[in-house]
Amino acid sequence: MEVGAAAFERCLPRLRERLRRAAFLGLDMEFTGLHSTFPQNNKPSLFDSPAEWYLKARRSVQRFTVSQFGLAIFSNENSNKYVVHSYNFFLFPSTFGVTDAEFTLSASSIQFLSHYGFDYNKFLKDGIPYMNELQEKSLSQDLLAGSWKVCSVLDRDRMKKAVDEVTCWIAAAEEEETMILQDLSGIQMFEVQLVLRQALQNVWTQPLGDREVMVKKVSPQHRQLLENSSHDSCQKELILMSARGFTNLFQALVKAKKPLVGHNMLMDLLHLHDKFYKPLPESYEEFKRNIHSLFPVLIDTKTVTKSVWKKYPFPRVSNLLEVYEVLCSSDLNPTDPTCPVIVLASDCSRYAEKTPHEAGYDAFLCGSVLLKVAHLLLCKSTGVTAEADPSFSEYLSALVKYLNKVHVIQGGVSSINFSGVDASCRRPPLLVVHVRGWRGLNERHIYQELKGLCQFDVKRLSENQFILLSSKFKHARLALRDYKDHPNLQISLYRHWRHSPHVNCLLQVSSIVALWSLFAFVLGGAPCHSV
């Protein structure tokens, strides 16, 4: 189900109620870009510690924004039937009373989403506004001080037109006469009223429906009484709620404390924190604590399915849709009356057809993959019989070792543990490249030379030496085999005592000290004897 700014406020009460009754939630987000190329060497690397990876990702998240938010609400109707309400929200940063948001567009990301039918007109024209706590605090202070402003040029033009219309009308109007301003949308309903009340002391305003505002000519005394009324439509809290936009739903997600499911969801969590909660902190550990406080139960289906590869004849696919299709296949999932039944709600039936890389559809896939994998793991561990319909709490028990472990793409650890210490992972050995005869080579040249054979991250060790690290043992074996006797690039196992610059420096210093000691001894000669 697609939701934009025009329909969001009407849908919000129903969304809150469905969140309250949900068993768990599927999540997916689309961005205007993934990893920023600015500054240089900002791309995550296998050499990065979790804290280093986080700082690089933080810089990227600050440059890009969320264009689409998918939320699939899985409700457990009975023991093994789940009804899914899947929503596809278009988002756009708030332009009301906050610093005008700036964000970057990545050409490759735009091209990718466009290929899959992403509607950028809906993103720009009907995106739901949002803000984090820092931006909301700033807006709240501006409203109290009466110093708020309209950032959008389009909205300023609409405000000017409204003021001109009312100014022309009010000159000839009698007290208590009214006029109607039409074709307003979203936050414009508040902006128009605030602008008119500030500009004209003898008018009062009141919304009519979703797109109209009534303007009434009143006496100064009547105006003062209306301003002190508890029924004023421009009360600060009402304005903040409207300007907060999608953040109202984020706060409902936090309050619901339901298990949150995604696939490769780490960037989603970074954006959730930055766009709807608070700007990302500099401290990696603080980020982890904040996320765990907001969402105590996280399940990354990428982390789970990687483990399933080892227990079942499960094809090693990583694309979310491919994972879903494999799990739905009769070969892996024979007829079993205890399998969870997943039913799309009537207003979400479009997701019965494939719409890959649409956030609402991918959120539905995330939740469906979770249920199917959890069922496989539960059957493996307990031998569920045909008479027993597993509950969702039983599925969570089967997944307990994967909870809060979120997969890391291209990092020094395979996953981040949001409820504990990050576990180290088993990596292939480090390799060292010794360059002969090729001058001026850098990391990019080495990467380009090797990428046809296998994928490595590259780091310079010295003027003519580079370190290689891969996530796959077979890549390390291939490189050692094919470049052992290469005339220009000789690849061998990295030995700390032999290749480390620190060890080499220490050895050189020790050699110099030993040499000087020997030299001093020789110059000193034998001791002199008195005559």
Side-chain angles (χ1 to χ4, degrees):
M1 182 179 179
E2 206 166 83
V3 182
F8 178 70
E9 283 195 24
R10 292 197 304 272
C11 293
L12 189 56
R14 185 165 64 249
L15 284 164
R16 285 175 170 147
E17 178 59 23
R18 284 177 178 161
L19 286 175
R20 190 184 64 80
R21 292 163 37 208
F24 69 96
L25 309 169
L27 169 75
D28 184 74
M29 295 160 72
E30 302 294 343
F31 317 115
T32 58
L34 196 57
H35 291 296
S36 175
T37 56
F38 179 85
Q40 263 190 327
N41 301 321
N42 191 53
K43 189 176 179 182
S45 162
L46 293 171
F47 294 105
D48 293 336
S49 68
E52 290 169 335
W53 188 99
Y54 168 74
L55 288 175
K56 287 181 177 180
R58 177 177 178 263
R59 285 193 288 267
S60 293
V61 167
Q62 289 168 337
R63 290 179 63 83
F64 298 115
T65 195
V66 181
S67 54
Q68 206 175 63
F69 191 110
L71 179 67
I73 303 174
F74 283 73
S75 301
N76 199 183
E77 297 257 324
N78 55 44
S79 54
N80 72 337
K81 181 181 178 182
Y82 294 81
V83 175
V84 189
H85 291 86
S86 199
Y87 297 89
N88 193 56
F89 302 96
F90 284 93
L91 305 186
F92 194 81
S94 177
T95 57
F96 177 66
V98 294
T99 303
D100 200 4
E102 296 180 2
F103 58 85
T104 302
L105 299 176
S106 162
S108 59
S109 294
I110 300 304
Q111 185 183 51
F112 176 82
L113 290 177
S114 295
H115 175 75
Y116 286 100
F118 186 91
D119 191 334
Y120 280 94
N121 276 325
K122 290 181 179 177
F123 162 60
L124 295 169
K125 294 181 178 180
D126 196 28
I128 305 164
Y130 59 86
M131 59 177 62
N132 60 33
E133 288 183 5
L134 185 64
Q135 293 166 327
E136 182 179 346
K137 182 179 179 182
S138 175
L139 174 58
S140 178
Q141 291 171 344
D142 289 345
L143 286 171
L144 280 175
S147 59
W148 59 274
K149 63 180 181 178
V150 180
C151 293
S152 166
V153 174
L154 287 173
D155 286 351
R156 284 203 299 268
D157 289 345
R158 185 68 187 89
M159 298 309 105
K160 183 179 183 303
K161 181 182 176 184
V163 170
D164 289 345
E165 285 181 36
V166 174
T167 303
C168 291
W169 164 78
I170 204 168
E174 299 289 335
E175 280 191 12
E176 300 300 313
E177 280 190 36
T178 62
M179 70 169 291
I180 306 297
L181 295 174
Q182 299 177 325
D183 297 326
L184 301 168
S185 60
I187 201 67
Q188 287 180 352
M189 294 284 288
F190 289 104
E191 289 175 332
V192 162
Q193 295 183 77
L194 290 172
V195 166
L196 288 172
R197 292 183 186 187
Q198 198 172 53
L200 302 168
Q201 296 303 307
N202 58 341
V203 301
W204 189 246
T205 59
Q206 186 175 330
L208 297 176
D210 294 333
R211 300 185 62 84
E212 294 181 338
V213 167
M214 180 192 74
V215 182
K216 178 188 285 190
K217 185 173 182 179
V218 296
S219 67
Q221 295 79 9
H222 191 189
R223 163 77 178 255
Q224 190 173 6
L225 288 173
L226 292 168
E227 284 177 343
N228 295 324
S229 168
S230 60
H231 302 293
D232 183 8
S233 61
C234 283
Q235 290 178 45
K236 176 187 164 186
E237 281 307 313
L238 294 175
I239 296 173
L240 287 176
M241 181 175 177
S242 183
R244 204 181 293 131
F246 190 80
T247 306
N248 291 302
L249 182 59
F250 168 79
Q251 292 169 350
L253 289 175
V254 172
K255 183 178 180 181
K257 292 288 185 285
K258 303 293 183 179
L260 197 62
V261 182
H263 189 80
N264 269 336
M265 66 190 301
L266 189 49
M267 292 304 289
D268 297 328
L269 295 173
L270 285 156
H271 278 279
L272 276 173
H273 191 300
D274 189 69
K275 303 302 185 292
F276 313 116
Y277 178 51
K278 295 177 181 178
L280 285 166
E282 291 188 13
S283 164
Y284 166 66
E285 293 298 333
E286 184 181 348
F287 163 68
K288 283 179 58 175
R289 288 193 300 270
N290 289 349
I291 288 294
H292 187 55
S293 173
L294 294 170
F295 305 108
V297 181
L298 297 170
I299 309 170
D300 189 339
T301 52
K302 177 69 173 181
T303 301
V304 181
T305 52
K306 281 183 69 178
S307 174
V308 171
W309 288 341
K310 302 170 186 176
K311 299 180 180 180
Y312 292 90
F314 192 88
R316 297 205 168 201
V317 293
S318 58
N319 175 282
L320 178 60
L321 180 57
E322 291 175 338
V323 172
Y324 174 74
E325 290 175 337
V326 166
L327 286 166
C328 289
S329 69
S330 57
D331 292 337
L332 187 69
N333 191 18
T335 302
D336 178 358
T338 66
C339 280
V341 177
I342 303 169
V343 180
L344 282 161
S346 58
D347 54 359
C348 305
S349 58
R350 65 189 297 260
Y351 291 139
E353 302 294 330
K354 294 179 187 178
T355 53
H357 303 293
E358 182 174 302
Y361 179 68
D362 285 355
F364 161 69
L365 294 186
C366 287
S368 301
V369 165
L370 174 81
L371 286 172
K372 291 176 181 297
V373 171
H375 188 77
L376 285 175
L377 292 173
L378 186 62
C379 290
K380 181 81 171 178
S381 62
T382 62
V384 176
T385 63
E387 290 75 32
D389 290 334
S391 65
F392 186 71
S393 60
E394 289 177 284
Y395 286 147
L396 278 181
S397 298
L399 294 162
V400 67
K401 69 178 181 179
Y402 308 108
L403 300 184
N404 298 316
K405 295 180 175 65
V406 176
H407 182 67
V408 178
I409 302 174
Q410 208 73 4
V413 295
S414 59
S415 64
I416 287 176
N417 184 0
F418 281 91
S419 55
V421 178
D422 300 327
S424 58
C425 62
R426 185 167 172 258
R427 291 283 193 208
L430 288 171
L431 305 181
V432 63
V433 181
H434 185 78
V435 181
R436 293 179 178 175
W438 285 358
R439 293 187 177 278
L441 289 188
N442 58 28
E443 290 95 330
R444 185 174 61 83
H445 295 132
I446 299 295
Y447 178 82
Q448 291 295 329
E449 167 69 21
L450 294 173
K451 76 173 186 177
L453 175 69
C454 44
Q455 295 293 317
F456 284 97
D457 281 351
V458 185
K459 184 166 70 172
R460 184 181 286 278
L461 182 63
S462 64
E463 184 179 355
N464 63 346
Q465 288 184 322
F466 298 85
I467 297 178
L468 303 179
L469 182 57
S470 173
S471 60
K472 297 183 179 179
F473 283 87
K474 68 177 182 180
H475 288 180
R477 289 193 294 268
L478 282 172
L480 287 169
R481 184 194 70 190
D482 289 13
Y483 283 84
K484 182 178 181 181
D485 299 313
H486 193 279
N488 302 110
L489 300 178
Q490 291 191 347
I491 298 180
S492 59
L493 287 171
Y494 175 87
R495 304 295 185 190
H496 185 72
W497 59 267
R498 180 181 175 187
H499 298 113
S500 169
H502 300 294
V503 173
N504 286 335
C505 181
L506 182 61
L507 289 174
Q508 288 174 14
V509 170
S510 299
S511 299
I512 291 170
V513 170
L515 185 62
W516 273 104
S517 298
L518 179 62
F519 187 58
F521 176 79
V522 170
L523 287 179
C528 296
H529 300 281
S530 56
V531 179

